[in-house]
Amino acid sequence: MKIEVLGTAFVVQSDQDPAYLREIIDFFKSRVRDIENTVSTKDPLKISILASILVIDEFLKYKTGQAPGNSIEALEAASIAQRLIRDLDKMLDPLE
């Protein structure tokens, strides 16, 4: 199955049903769009990391029986993640 997200394309081989894989990719892309509409960064890696954090947050809340995060919680998680990425960037690039 060919996957295209954040300007990158690649092929994934899996024994999973293609419809299931498409559902996973569509879910991730929806989180990417949420992040793109929320934060100022346009860096695909950072957007992917932030989207992944949101997906993990939703998964852990589901796993522990908590209600899924509402948009305020999602924005808060994105804000925290963006601040962490900004701090890491400063530490890794002392010229900024």
Side-chain angles (χ1 to χ4, degrees):
M1 166 182 270
K2 185 175 181 179
I3 296 173
E4 295 181 41
V5 65
L6 292 166
T8 301
F10 51 94
V11 175
V12 173
Q13 294 181 350
S14 174
D15 294 336
Q16 295 291 328
D17 177 22
Y20 176 71
L21 291 175
R22 177 60 43 211
E23 185 177 355
I24 292 171
I25 298 306
D26 289 345
F27 182 82
F28 183 74
K29 284 182 176 183
S30 75
R31 293 309 172 263
V32 166
R33 282 189 300 275
D34 291 345
I35 293 298
E36 288 174 324
N37 293 328
T38 306
V39 299
S40 61
T41 187
K42 299 300 178 205
D43 182 321
L45 177 61
K46 292 177 183 178
I47 291 170
S48 180
I49 291 168
L50 292 170
S52 298
I53 289 169
L54 289 181
V55 170
I56 293 166
D57 175 55
E58 289 181 43
F59 169 75
L60 291 176
K61 285 182 178 175
Y62 175 79
K63 182 179 170 185
T64 60
Q66 296 177 21
N70 59 34
S71 60
I72 293 172
E73 289 173 328
L75 292 174
E76 191 174 298
S79 174
I80 291 168
Q82 185 177 17
R83 190 170 53 245
L84 290 170
I85 289 172
R86 189 174 46 247
D87 291 346
L88 286 171
D89 280 345
K90 287 179 185 176
M91 290 172 29
L92 295 174
D93 187 2
L95 299 177
E96 287 191 5

